[in-house]
Amino acid sequence: MRKLLRTIFLVDLVQGLMVTFRTQNPKNIVTEQYPAQRPKIAERYRGAPRLNINPENGQTLCIACDLCALACPENLIVVGWERNPETKRKDLINFTYDTSRCMFCGLCEDACPVDALELTQDFELASYSREGAIFDRQILEEGIKPTKYKF
Ligand code: SF4
Ligand code: SF4
């Protein structure tokens, strides 16, 4: 009989809610408020790739040596270059990086002898198509531009 009355009057439910409301302060937000507040990213985090340019002359630091492409276990980096007949050096023509296949292992970054290729702390890599995940030289040099939401 006692059990039946507890069930009818939802005593267990009310007791449970009392415990919840005793310990819950709606002003204490414990979940991440992304994208209103951007989370702090760990220093060692490896995110969006970046092809660095020389800040003094605006020229790419990449010497088109192809070592990053050779180091990549996924073969997702393509370095396009042509030989400059005057300097006899390789000039970088294009650079593609397929982030959809990347596992962000950092081997390409480590292989680069001139620190041109860098995996940054930018983590917003989502796109609406597979094509959007393929970064060309321009995106790699300018960096990704994630949407800034207003609240
Ligand atoms: S991080 Fe790893 S998988 Fe991604 S491009 Fe570099 S070497 Fe390849
Ligand atoms: S290893 Fe560095 S310098 Fe060589 S092609 Fe890749 S990004 Fe360019």
Side-chain angles (χ1 to χ4, degrees):
M1 184 65 180
R2 193 162 175 251
K3 196 177 174 194
L4 180 66
L5 287 173
R6 280 182 76 92
T7 308
I8 291 170
F9 291 108
L10 303 173
V11 173
D12 292 336
L13 176 66
V14 172
Q15 280 182 337
L17 286 174
M18 280 168 65
V19 171
T20 302
F21 290 122
R22 247 198 333 266
T23 55
Q24 183 190 53
N25 180 354
K27 287 183 185 159
N28 293 342
I29 298 172
V30 292
T31 52
E32 276 194 1
Q33 298 302 295
Y34 176 83
Q37 290 167 16
R38 303 175 73 73
K40 196 170 183 297
I41 304 299
E43 268 182 43
R44 64 183 183 279
Y45 181 82
R46 291 192 289 262
R50 189 83 186 255
L51 203 53
N52 290 320
I53 57 172
N54 186 335
E56 288 172 10
N57 57 19
Q59 301 291 312
T60 181
L61 287 176
C62 177
I63 53 175
C65 65
D66 218 27
L67 286 178
C68 54
L70 289 170
C72 178
E74 286 290 326
N75 293 323
L76 61 87
I77 296 175
V78 179
V79 182
W81 56 271
E82 64 185 22
R83 183 78 62 187
N84 187 322
E86 290 174 15
T87 62
K88 308 289 184 209
R89 292 185 172 190
K90 289 175 176 178
D91 283 346
L92 184 69
I93 303 301
N94 51 51
F95 196 111
T96 59
Y97 189 115
D98 186 350
T99 58
S100 70
R101 290 165 47 209
C102 181
M103 54 186 172
F104 303 98
C105 61
L107 290 176
C108 53
E109 186 182 39
D110 290 345
C112 182
V114 289
D115 291 335
L117 187 60
E118 178 190 355
L119 296 178
T120 67
Q121 292 179 311
D122 295 333
F123 58 91
E124 289 147 311
L125 291 164
S127 68
Y128 288 103
S129 65
R130 289 187 71 85
E131 289 72 31
I134 300 172
F135 290 9
D136 60 14
R137 181 179 172 181
Q138 186 180 0
I139 298 172
L140 288 165
E141 288 185 344
E142 292 177 359
I144 57 171
K145 297 183 176 65
T147 308
K148 297 272 189 294
Y149 296 95
K150 290 185 181 147
F151 297 90

